[in-house]
Each structure stands twice: as C-alpha cells, then as structure tokens.
Short mmCIF file of all heavy atoms in Angstrom, two decimals:
data_model
loop_
_atom_site.label_atom_id
_atom_site.label_comp_id
_atom_site.label_asym_id
_atom_site.label_seq_id
_atom_site.Cartn_x
_atom_site.Cartn_y
_atom_site.Cartn_z
N VAL A 1 75.74 72.36 110.19
CA VAL A 1 74.98 71.63 111.19
C VAL A 1 76.03 71.08 112.17
O VAL A 1 76.92 70.36 111.85
CB VAL A 1 74.16 70.50 110.64
CG1 VAL A 1 73.45 69.70 111.65
CG2 VAL A 1 73.13 71.02 109.64
N VAL A 2 75.85 71.40 113.47
CA VAL A 2 76.69 70.92 114.57
C VAL A 2 75.91 69.97 115.42
O VAL A 2 74.83 70.27 115.86
CB VAL A 2 77.24 72.08 115.46
CG1 VAL A 2 78.08 71.61 116.58
CG2 VAL A 2 77.98 73.12 114.56
N GLU A 3 76.48 68.78 115.55
CA GLU A 3 75.90 67.71 116.47
C GLU A 3 76.77 67.38 117.57
O GLU A 3 77.93 67.02 117.34
CB GLU A 3 75.54 66.50 115.55
CG GLU A 3 74.86 65.37 116.38
CD GLU A 3 74.61 64.11 115.51
OE1 GLU A 3 74.86 64.18 114.36
OE2 GLU A 3 74.35 63.11 116.10
N VAL A 4 76.25 67.41 118.78
CA VAL A 4 77.03 67.10 119.95
C VAL A 4 76.48 65.75 120.53
O VAL A 4 75.37 65.65 121.08
CB VAL A 4 76.87 68.20 121.07
CG1 VAL A 4 77.70 67.78 122.30
CG2 VAL A 4 77.21 69.52 120.53
N PRO A 5 77.27 64.62 120.32
CA PRO A 5 76.81 63.32 120.85
C PRO A 5 76.78 63.31 122.41
O PRO A 5 77.40 64.12 123.06
CB PRO A 5 77.84 62.41 120.29
CG PRO A 5 78.61 63.16 119.19
CD PRO A 5 78.52 64.58 119.68
N SER A 6 76.07 62.40 122.90
CA SER A 6 75.95 62.16 124.33
C SER A 6 76.66 60.83 124.76
O SER A 6 76.57 59.90 124.06
CB SER A 6 74.48 62.16 124.80
OG SER A 6 74.40 61.84 126.22
N ARG A 7 77.29 60.89 125.94
CA ARG A 7 77.91 59.71 126.50
C ARG A 7 76.90 59.04 127.49
O ARG A 7 77.32 58.08 128.12
CB ARG A 7 79.20 60.03 127.19
CG ARG A 7 80.33 60.53 126.28
CD ARG A 7 81.62 60.65 127.01
NE ARG A 7 82.11 59.31 127.24
CZ ARG A 7 83.10 58.89 128.05
NH1 ARG A 7 83.68 59.96 128.84
NH2 ARG A 7 83.49 57.74 128.27
N ASN A 8 75.79 59.65 127.66
CA ASN A 8 74.64 59.10 128.52
C ASN A 8 75.14 59.00 129.99
O ASN A 8 74.63 58.12 130.74
CB ASN A 8 74.26 57.76 127.98
CG ASN A 8 73.65 57.85 126.67
OD1 ASN A 8 72.80 58.70 126.35
ND2 ASN A 8 74.07 56.98 125.73
N CYS A 9 76.09 59.83 130.40
CA CYS A 9 76.49 59.78 131.76
C CYS A 9 76.79 61.23 132.19
O CYS A 9 77.15 62.12 131.42
CB CYS A 9 77.65 58.91 132.02
SG CYS A 9 79.17 59.37 131.17
N PHE A 10 76.71 61.47 133.49
CA PHE A 10 77.00 62.79 134.06
C PHE A 10 78.46 62.94 134.38
O PHE A 10 79.01 62.16 135.17
CB PHE A 10 76.11 63.01 135.30
CG PHE A 10 76.28 64.38 135.91
CD1 PHE A 10 75.34 65.35 135.51
CD2 PHE A 10 77.20 64.77 136.83
CE1 PHE A 10 75.39 66.65 135.95
CE2 PHE A 10 77.24 66.02 137.37
CZ PHE A 10 76.28 67.02 136.91
N GLN A 11 79.11 63.89 133.73
CA GLN A 11 80.54 64.13 133.86
C GLN A 11 80.72 65.40 134.65
O GLN A 11 80.58 66.54 134.11
CB GLN A 11 81.26 64.24 132.57
CG GLN A 11 81.01 62.96 131.71
CD GLN A 11 81.34 63.16 130.26
OE1 GLN A 11 82.44 62.83 129.76
NE2 GLN A 11 80.36 63.68 129.44
N GLU A 12 81.15 65.33 135.82
CA GLU A 12 81.20 66.44 136.78
C GLU A 12 82.30 67.48 136.26
O GLU A 12 82.19 68.69 136.46
CB GLU A 12 81.71 65.99 138.16
CG GLU A 12 80.64 65.12 138.85
CD GLU A 12 81.12 64.86 140.34
OE1 GLU A 12 81.82 65.69 140.91
OE2 GLU A 12 80.62 63.82 140.83
N GLU A 13 83.29 67.09 135.47
CA GLU A 13 84.36 67.98 134.96
C GLU A 13 83.83 68.93 134.00
O GLU A 13 84.40 69.98 133.72
CB GLU A 13 85.43 67.15 134.29
CG GLU A 13 86.23 66.23 135.24
CD GLU A 13 85.49 64.85 135.31
OE1 GLU A 13 84.39 64.74 134.91
OE2 GLU A 13 86.17 63.93 135.86
N LEU A 14 82.56 68.69 133.47
CA LEU A 14 81.98 69.65 132.44
C LEU A 14 81.18 70.67 133.11
O LEU A 14 80.74 71.64 132.47
CB LEU A 14 81.11 68.83 131.49
CG LEU A 14 81.79 68.24 130.17
CD1 LEU A 14 82.87 67.32 130.57
CD2 LEU A 14 80.76 67.65 129.20
N VAL A 15 80.96 70.59 134.41
CA VAL A 15 80.09 71.60 135.07
C VAL A 15 80.94 72.74 135.57
O VAL A 15 81.24 72.83 136.83
CB VAL A 15 79.28 70.95 136.26
CG1 VAL A 15 78.25 71.85 136.71
CG2 VAL A 15 78.65 69.62 135.73
N LYS A 16 81.42 73.57 134.72
CA LYS A 16 82.21 74.70 135.07
C LYS A 16 82.21 75.73 133.81
O LYS A 16 81.99 75.23 132.67
CB LYS A 16 83.62 74.36 135.45
CG LYS A 16 84.50 73.83 134.31
CD LYS A 16 85.88 73.48 134.75
CE LYS A 16 86.78 72.98 133.59
NZ LYS A 16 88.07 72.65 134.04
N PRO A 17 82.31 76.98 134.05
CA PRO A 17 82.35 77.97 132.98
C PRO A 17 83.52 77.73 132.11
O PRO A 17 84.69 77.47 132.52
CB PRO A 17 82.43 79.34 133.77
CG PRO A 17 81.98 79.05 135.08
CD PRO A 17 82.43 77.66 135.42
N SER A 18 83.36 77.85 130.77
CA SER A 18 84.38 77.66 129.79
C SER A 18 83.89 78.31 128.49
O SER A 18 82.71 78.80 128.44
CB SER A 18 84.85 76.26 129.56
OG SER A 18 83.85 75.58 128.84
N SER A 19 84.68 78.26 127.46
CA SER A 19 84.30 78.75 126.14
C SER A 19 83.19 77.93 125.46
O SER A 19 82.70 78.40 124.42
CB SER A 19 85.53 78.91 125.23
OG SER A 19 86.15 77.64 124.96
N ILE A 20 82.90 76.74 125.87
CA ILE A 20 81.97 75.94 125.26
C ILE A 20 80.83 75.55 126.19
O ILE A 20 79.85 74.91 125.80
CB ILE A 20 82.56 74.61 124.76
CG1 ILE A 20 83.21 73.83 125.88
CG2 ILE A 20 83.60 74.94 123.65
CD1 ILE A 20 83.72 72.40 125.43
N THR A 21 80.87 75.97 127.50
CA THR A 21 79.79 75.73 128.44
C THR A 21 79.22 77.10 128.83
O THR A 21 79.73 78.17 128.45
CB THR A 21 80.27 75.04 129.74
OG1 THR A 21 81.36 75.81 130.32
CG2 THR A 21 80.83 73.66 129.41
N MET A 22 78.12 77.11 129.50
CA MET A 22 77.47 78.33 129.92
C MET A 22 78.35 79.00 131.02
O MET A 22 79.08 78.30 131.71
CB MET A 22 76.09 78.16 130.36
CG MET A 22 75.89 77.23 131.59
SD MET A 22 74.20 77.06 132.01
CE MET A 22 73.47 76.56 130.57
N GLN A 23 78.14 80.26 131.19
CA GLN A 23 78.89 80.98 132.21
C GLN A 23 78.13 81.03 133.60
O GLN A 23 78.72 81.10 134.63
CB GLN A 23 79.15 82.47 131.80
CG GLN A 23 79.96 82.53 130.43
CD GLN A 23 81.31 81.97 130.64
OE1 GLN A 23 82.09 82.30 131.52
NE2 GLN A 23 81.67 81.03 129.79
N GLY A 24 76.83 80.94 133.51
CA GLY A 24 76.08 81.06 134.74
C GLY A 24 74.71 80.44 134.55
O GLY A 24 74.30 80.10 133.45
N VAL A 25 73.94 80.23 135.66
CA VAL A 25 72.62 79.65 135.58
C VAL A 25 71.69 80.53 136.27
O VAL A 25 72.03 81.23 137.25
CB VAL A 25 72.59 78.23 136.23
CG1 VAL A 25 73.37 77.20 135.29
CG2 VAL A 25 73.14 78.22 137.66
N ARG A 26 70.47 80.54 135.89
CA ARG A 26 69.31 81.30 136.52
C ARG A 26 68.51 80.25 137.23
O ARG A 26 67.86 79.34 136.61
CB ARG A 26 68.56 82.07 135.50
CG ARG A 26 67.29 82.81 136.15
CD ARG A 26 66.72 83.83 135.28
NE ARG A 26 67.73 84.92 135.19
CZ ARG A 26 67.43 86.06 134.61
NH1 ARG A 26 66.30 86.29 133.94
NH2 ARG A 26 68.36 87.13 134.54
N VAL A 27 68.40 80.32 138.60
CA VAL A 27 67.66 79.47 139.38
C VAL A 27 66.40 80.08 140.03
O VAL A 27 66.47 81.20 140.51
CB VAL A 27 68.57 78.94 140.55
CG1 VAL A 27 67.79 77.79 141.35
CG2 VAL A 27 69.84 78.34 140.01
N PHE A 28 65.32 79.41 139.89
CA PHE A 28 64.08 79.89 140.41
C PHE A 28 64.01 79.53 141.97
O PHE A 28 64.26 78.33 142.28
CB PHE A 28 62.81 79.30 139.72
CG PHE A 28 62.74 79.74 138.26
CD1 PHE A 28 63.41 79.03 137.31
CD2 PHE A 28 61.98 80.82 137.95
CE1 PHE A 28 63.35 79.43 135.93
CE2 PHE A 28 61.91 81.18 136.63
CZ PHE A 28 62.50 80.57 135.62
N MET A 29 63.73 80.56 142.81
CA MET A 29 63.81 80.24 144.22
C MET A 29 62.65 80.73 144.99
O MET A 29 61.98 81.74 144.59
CB MET A 29 65.11 80.99 144.77
CG MET A 29 66.36 80.36 144.27
SD MET A 29 67.85 81.08 145.18
CE MET A 29 69.15 80.05 144.47
N SER A 30 62.26 79.99 145.97
CA SER A 30 61.19 80.44 146.87
C SER A 30 61.68 80.23 148.34
O SER A 30 61.99 79.11 148.70
CB SER A 30 59.95 79.56 146.63
OG SER A 30 58.91 79.89 147.55
N ASN A 31 61.62 81.32 149.09
CA ASN A 31 62.14 81.26 150.53
C ASN A 31 61.00 81.65 151.38
O ASN A 31 60.55 82.79 151.40
CB ASN A 31 63.34 82.15 150.69
CG ASN A 31 63.98 81.94 152.09
OD1 ASN A 31 63.30 81.62 153.02
ND2 ASN A 31 65.25 82.24 152.17
N LEU A 32 60.51 80.72 152.24
CA LEU A 32 59.40 81.02 153.13
C LEU A 32 59.80 80.98 154.52
O LEU A 32 58.98 80.90 155.45
CB LEU A 32 58.26 79.94 152.87
CG LEU A 32 57.70 79.85 151.50
CD1 LEU A 32 56.58 78.79 151.40
CD2 LEU A 32 57.12 81.21 151.06
N ALA A 33 61.10 81.12 154.81
CA ALA A 33 61.64 81.02 156.11
C ALA A 33 61.25 82.29 156.96
O ALA A 33 61.06 83.35 156.43
CB ALA A 33 63.08 80.90 156.20
#
C-alpha cells in the first residue's frame, strides 16, 4: 500500500514530466473562432 501525503499547497516545481509525474495531459478543447 503506497500513500502519498499532501502539503495542501500548489508546488509549481512538481508540474513537469519525470519518473513519478505524468508525461502529458489530455485537454478537452472547443474552438468556435
């Protein structure tokens, strides 16, 4: 059982690809221009 505690704050340094974070995100988009 692996538990990842939270620091309850947004840490910008964690928002990047690494061996423990995701590599990419899928974003839903709607363009009506």
Side-chain angles (χ1 to χ4, degrees):
V1 177
V2 178
E3 180 184 351
V4 183
S6 173
R7 297 191 69 197
N8 298 313
C9 63
F10 189 87
Q11 302 163 97
E12 297 186 25
E13 297 88 347
L14 271 61
V15 190
K16 66 178 182 179
S18 73
S19 62
I20 59 173
T21 58
M22 61 178 56
Q23 301 300 305
V25 293
R26 175 164 290 185
V27 184
F28 294 86
M29 293 185 173
S30 175
N31 188 330
L32 302 180

